[in-house]
Amino acid sequence: MSWSKVMLALALALMSLASPPARADAEYDLFLATLWPEAEAMGISRKTFDGALVGLTLDRKLPEIGVEPGEPDKNTKGQPEFVKPPSTYMRESQLRDLAKTGAAEARRWKADLDGIERKYGVSRHILLAIWARETAYGTYELPHNAIRVLASQAFLGLRRDFFRNELLWALKILEGGHASIGEMRSSWAGAMGHTQLMPTNWRDFAEDFDGDGRRNIWSSVPDALASAAKSLIGPKEVEGKPYQWLKGRSWGYEVRKPASFDCTMEGLEGWRPLSAWVGMGYERAYGRKLSPELLADEAYLLLPQGAHGPAFLVTHNFLILKTYNFADIYALFVGTLADRMAGTKPFEAAWGAAPPVSERDALELQNYLVGLGLTVGKVDGKVGWRTRVALGVFEKANGLAVDCYPTPDDVVAMRAGKGL
């Protein structure tokens, strides 16, 4: 344990007799003060440190603040990837409008995008789609002060060590004069700029593409788009394996489900060449064909809403997009919007009207499935592909409609004590 953490623990013990509100404020102030040795070791001046942290107040309304591991998050308003059903998140009218605006932005920034594509090999449409999803092409006003967000999460969030490091690197950005505190507006998690980079992502990937001497993701569109491109090219590790951005390849394809469709085949454990999927009866939406050179590319089945919505075969590039935001639906939105900009049609299959369940019910289902010996991934009330596959196995075993998506029928069966 570091000396600063030892001092913090001792001081917190001494303050245990204080009244609760005063104790919370005092503990927070002390926590911030104990960051100084680490900040100083990183070359951050006392002036920058005090200017950013002295008098800083705690924000208790952020997601993941005051939530115990394994409990539903009571402040999930800021996490649309986890609280909106795919049918809402992938709304066609929004995709259409963003694609239209994206075409205009592509013309406006053509020279820069040409250069970024040449340097990094990432499609301009992917980069524009990230920009659109993150800040609506820079028109969305980020709601938070990054320093306050990162400090609050480092003190009282679920991932305190992670955010402690991000806070220190945010101070490093200030120290270097790359942005002011006022410029450093952020999401609830501290992601900043046009394309929403965390401070350590800025450290690793930010580019001065416009050549003005600043790695300025806050007000320079060329810098922000180049930084996003650099962050994607890899190699990137996803679930313990390295993946590389494949230049000129798609993120994936909407496909028609065959008569033998089985939703429990979804997920990363089902990598197959596209030729194998075609041999199993999967074909591209609208009857489009895969060119012969693509058939050797690997893909796995993605069913964001189980059997209730469109099906996709997604490639290595999809996993790279997930390193930007790990939610499947985020990567799907970015890939789909990029395709819309390139002129593809809307989804052929409709998003079904799956009866929703609450995050608390989803969490209860996950715990129950784990108790049956099934693998659901992280037990957090958020439904990823592993939870969907486990649900499909449970549904098959109990004569339920096999849709691999949490519905009230699944909750009823669980509470009735159904097993495998």
Side-chain angles (χ1 to χ4, degrees):
M1 181 181 291
S2 68
W3 176 248
S4 62
K5 290 184 178 180
V6 170
M7 293 300 293
L8 176 59
L10 290 172
L12 294 181
L14 290 173
M15 285 191 285
S16 62
L17 298 178
S19 63
R23 184 169 69 245
D25 291 343
E27 289 174 0
Y28 183 56
D29 290 342
L30 180 59
F31 165 75
L32 296 177
T34 59
L35 295 173
W36 168 242
E38 292 171 80
E40 184 180 32
M42 291 175 63
I44 297 164
S45 69
R46 190 80 217 194
K47 179 180 178 181
T48 296
F49 185 86
D50 289 346
L53 300 183
V54 171
L56 193 66
T57 57
L58 179 65
D59 189 344
R60 295 180 178 275
K61 295 181 180 179
L62 297 171
E64 298 189 358
I65 289 289
V67 180
E68 294 299 321
E71 289 186 352
D73 193 340
K74 60 183 179 297
N75 295 318
T76 55
K77 184 178 180 181
Q79 304 175 80
E81 290 82 14
F82 299 127
V83 298
K84 288 184 177 181
S87 55
T88 301
Y89 192 90
M90 302 294 297
R91 195 171 67 251
E92 189 60 41
S93 60
Q94 184 183 26
L95 289 166
R96 182 182 62 245
D97 292 346
L98 288 173
K100 181 178 179 181
T101 303
E105 295 293 344
R107 292 189 294 271
R108 180 182 178 186
W109 300 102
K110 181 180 184 305
D112 294 293
L113 288 165
D114 287 345
I116 293 169
E117 276 192 343
R118 282 194 300 270
K119 184 172 182 179
Y120 296 108
V122 179
S123 159
R124 68 192 59 209
H125 295 134
I126 288 289
L127 300 176
L128 289 166
I130 289 173
W131 187 20
R133 177 69 274 179
E134 296 295 351
T135 60
Y137 305 108
T139 64
Y140 172 65
E141 184 176 347
L142 293 165
H144 301 289
N145 172 276
I147 300 297
R148 187 184 185 213
V149 161
L150 296 169
S152 298
Q153 294 284 7
F155 178 65
L156 204 59
L158 278 174
R159 297 172 288 166
R160 298 177 192 184
D161 289 342
F162 169 81
F163 281 108
R164 182 189 186 98
N165 188 47
E166 295 294 340
L167 174 59
L168 290 166
W169 276 100
L171 297 177
K172 188 71 172 176
I173 291 171
L174 291 174
E175 181 68 29
H178 300 284
S180 67
I181 291 178
E183 285 179 304
M184 291 174 69
R185 304 299 298 172
S186 79
S187 70
W188 68 267
M192 306 174 296
H194 282 281
T195 50
Q196 292 284 271
L197 297 183
M198 296 296 290
T200 54
N201 294 145
W202 178 92
R203 174 198 66 196
D204 295 338
F205 305 120
E207 284 282 273
D208 174 22
F209 198 80
D210 61 13
D212 69 352
R214 295 175 66 201
R215 294 193 289 164
N216 179 9
I217 62 172
W218 299 273
S219 57
S220 169
V221 171
D223 285 7
L225 295 178
S227 301
K230 185 178 180 180
S231 77
L232 292 175
I233 57 174
K236 312 281 279 185
E237 186 173 292
V238 182
E239 301 204 13
K241 294 183 180 180
Y243 295 91
Q244 189 88 33
W245 183 265
L246 300 178
K247 182 180 179 180
R249 291 297 203 247
S250 175
W251 61 272
Y253 312 91
E254 185 191 358
V255 291
R256 293 172 175 172
K257 302 166 190 169
S260 59
F261 168 71
D262 179 355
C263 60
T264 64
M265 293 182 66
E266 183 185 8
L268 275 169
E269 295 172 4
W271 283 111
R272 291 174 173 81
L274 284 166
S275 59
W277 289 107
V278 170
M280 293 165 61
Y282 288 85
E283 61 179 39
R284 288 187 67 182
Y286 296 103
R288 297 182 65 188
K289 302 298 182 184
L290 290 163
S291 59
E293 68 269 18
L294 297 179
L295 289 174
D297 290 354
E298 284 192 322
Y300 69 88
L301 183 64
L302 178 71
L303 304 167
Q305 202 164 289
H308 295 284
F312 305 89
L313 291 175
V314 296
T315 69
H316 288 204
N317 283 357
F318 181 83
L319 291 186
I320 298 294
L321 290 177
K322 277 169 61 71
T323 66
Y324 212 95
N325 179 317
F326 203 67
D328 284 338
I329 200 68
Y330 174 91
L332 181 62
F333 186 98
V334 167
T336 298
L337 178 55
D339 287 353
R340 294 288 193 277
M341 291 183 204
T344 62
K345 296 179 181 180
F347 296 122
E348 182 180 57
W351 293 98
V357 300
S358 68
E359 184 180 354
R360 186 171 293 278
D361 283 348
L363 181 65
E364 188 180 350
L365 275 168
Q366 287 177 325
N367 279 306
Y368 189 77
L369 294 170
V370 168
L372 294 177
L374 297 172
T375 300
V376 302
K378 189 175 182 181
V379 179
D380 56 5
K382 301 170 178 65
V383 181
W385 69 265
R386 285 187 174 88
T387 295
R388 293 194 292 268
V389 170
L391 271 171
V393 172
F394 176 74
E395 289 162 346
K396 285 181 179 181
N398 289 284
L400 302 171
V402 182
D403 55 17
C404 300
Y405 199 71
T407 62
D409 285 349
D410 298 316
V411 176
V412 169
M414 169 190 67
R415 290 177 180 162
K418 300 293 185 179
L420 298 179

